[in-house]
Amino acid sequence: MEKDIYILAIESSCDETAAAVMKNGREECSNVIYSQIELHKLYGGVVPEIASRKHIEKINQVIKEALRQADKDLKDIDAIAVTYGPGLVGALLVGVAEAKAIAYATGKPLVGVHQIEGHIAANYIENKNLEPPFMCLVVSGGHTHLVKVLDYDEFEIIGRTRDDAAGEAFDKVARAIGLGYPGGPKIDALAKEGNKEAIEFPRAKVDGNEFDFSFSGLKSAVLNYLNQCEMKNIEINRADVAASFQYAVIDVLSKHAIQAVKDAGMTKLAIAGGVASNSSLRENVKAACNKEGIEFYHPSPIYCTDNAAMIGTAGYYNYCKGVRHGLDLNAVPNLKIGERL
Ligand code: KG4
């Protein structure tokens, strides 16, 4: 019988301090997340300096707790996986320095993981039968990518946003209608009370690549709508604005993703990243997939947000492929997907 592989994974790319222990890639032994959201809410968004300081304060406790919940000791761990980009440089550095220190002290291999590859790998945790190739729509606060997942370590980006990420648009529109941070979940909830066809917001067409996205025009259209209502003294129905805006985003995401799967001759579509927990996005993409005979995969919300379990899964596949990083591994805030440093 083959030996089980245990990965200790660390993630600190933005405002979650997270550690997990994963067995053989897909079996979660523990997944501990300390979220800093309450701290950053005060400022209406993530404050990088505060995020880094809080990571330093919390990271040892979070790792200890992940090992405790998994009932493992560092000596039982086969490798340390860590997110080294993309993300906030000061935040990433905390996880990377911690992982390097553990790797040095224990003599265990160090495996750097790309955060977006981690988000994609989140789909493997609960969908035990999911294997590449498949198409993945990655939608988070910082990224909107359509990615062909050709193998566990082989990716091709076929579409990306030209301006704002989908999550960023959610956050900005939420702020404009007074919902606060983080906006995505609040718009998701309020939209349920609104009419998605009440206001016709634009769906941007982008020249050059039919799979690219653009959300800044939509965001401006919402702001213009709000300003005009104010000037004309028309009462704003925030639920209708939330529902109509959300529908405009989802409509584009869903259509691009389905078309991409068909064009690539693939049969499976996965979604990943913070926005992938949006209930209407899930319903819409699921219905479209059913209609087209495409298998649809998505992680539970806990694996859509930044977490270390997904880093452990991606780290496991990298580890099996022989990826090893030296103690000179650095944080790379703008790391490109599929790029190995
Ligand atoms: O992946 P994530 O946790 O962090 C990174 O960007 O790495 O994504 C956070 C983003 C935020 O913009 C947040 O507003 C959005 O995901 N989000 C949502 C929902 N939950 C989180 N957007 C729409 N609907 C949601 N339910």
Side-chain angles (χ1 to χ4, degrees):
M1 214 176 79
E2 279 189 37
K3 179 190 170 304
D4 290 327
I5 305 286
Y6 290 95
I7 306 277
L8 170 65
I10 300 170
E11 148 69 34
S12 68
S13 63
C14 189
D15 59 345
E16 264 92 27
T17 319
V21 175
M22 297 298 288
K23 178 180 170 186
N24 299 329
R26 300 192 185 213
E27 199 178 314
E28 180 189 298
C29 304
S30 64
N31 185 26
V32 179
I33 305 173
Y34 168 77
S35 173
Q36 307 178 359
I37 273 186
E38 289 304 319
L39 266 177
H40 298 284
K41 258 184 192 166
L42 273 173
Y43 307 95
V46 177
V47 184
E49 177 65 20
I50 295 177
S52 317
R53 284 168 189 268
K54 207 66 194 175
H55 284 312
I56 294 175
E57 213 179 294
K58 288 286 168 189
I59 197 144
N60 281 324
Q61 297 167 29
V62 166
I63 292 172
K64 268 194 191 151
E65 184 57 16
L67 288 167
R68 192 193 65 76
Q69 287 184 18
D71 198 19
K72 294 284 165 218
D73 206 274
L74 278 177
K75 67 175 179 341
D76 307 316
I77 299 296
D78 294 278
I80 323 296
V82 64
T83 310
Y84 71 111
L88 302 171
V89 68
L92 287 164
L93 271 172
V94 178
V96 169
E98 178 84 13
K100 289 199 289 190
I102 297 174
Y104 178 66
T106 58
K108 311 272 179 185
L110 176 68
V111 180
V113 174
H114 190 293
Q115 213 243 358
I116 300 301
E117 294 181 17
H119 273 302
I120 294 169
N123 279 285
Y124 299 133
I125 301 172
E126 295 158 295
N127 301 301
K128 307 290 181 202
N129 61 343
L130 175 63
E131 282 180 20
F134 59 90
M135 188 67 64
C136 190
L137 172 69
V138 185
V139 270
S140 71
H143 300 270
T144 306
H145 285 334
L146 256 175
V147 184
K148 250 188 208 176
V149 184
L150 298 164
D151 201 346
Y152 288 103
D153 63 343
E154 205 187 332
F155 308 90
E156 188 190 330
I157 299 181
I158 61 160
R160 49 158 57 86
T161 181
R162 300 273 180 95
D163 38 60
D164 291 352
E168 207 176 339
F170 268 94
D171 292 335
K172 286 177 179 167
V173 167
R175 193 178 308 151
I177 55 174
L179 293 180
Y181 177 84
K186 294 185 174 160
I187 290 204
D188 192 353
L190 185 60
K192 292 192 197 325
E193 295 161 29
N195 172 6
K196 67 181 183 181
E197 270 142 24
I199 311 153
E200 210 175 303
F201 288 130
R203 274 74 166 150
K205 284 247 184 312
V206 182
D207 285 341
N209 179 359
E210 62 172 317
F211 296 125
D212 275 356
F213 303 94
S214 165
F215 295 110
S216 70
L218 169 61
K219 177 193 68 194
S220 302
V222 176
L223 297 180
N224 284 342
Y225 173 83
L226 296 173
N227 284 337
Q228 277 181 15
C229 287
E230 207 171 299
M231 277 180 342
K232 292 179 190 159
N233 254 331
I234 299 171
E235 202 186 325
I236 294 163
N237 182 327
R238 296 195 315 163
D240 281 352
V241 175
S244 303
F245 158 76
Q246 178 174 273
Y247 185 45
V249 176
I250 287 172
D251 194 28
V252 171
L253 290 176
S254 167
K255 284 189 177 134
H256 282 208
I258 297 289
Q259 194 56 44
V261 176
K262 291 194 340 193
D263 279 17
M266 289 177 152
T267 54
K268 296 177 247 180
L269 173 65
I271 57 173
V275 182
S277 47
N278 183 277
S279 53
S280 297
L281 175 68
R282 286 165 182 257
E283 282 163 24
N284 191 302
V285 177
K286 188 176 174 196
C289 282
N290 282 346
K291 204 167 136 213
E292 299 289 344
I294 297 168
E295 286 172 52
F296 175 53
Y297 299 87
H298 60 80
S300 293
I302 190 72
Y303 299 118
C304 288
T305 187
D306 290 344
N307 68 90
M310 67 183 194
I311 302 303
T313 302
Y316 166 80
Y317 287 107
N318 285 348
Y319 173 82
C320 293
K321 293 261 181 178
V323 175
R324 303 288 183 271
H325 282 94
L327 294 178
D328 57 351
L329 179 69
N330 207 350
V332 185
N334 58 352
L335 185 64
K336 304 279 174 297
I337 196 164
E339 188 176 58
R340 299 256 174 272
L341 297 177

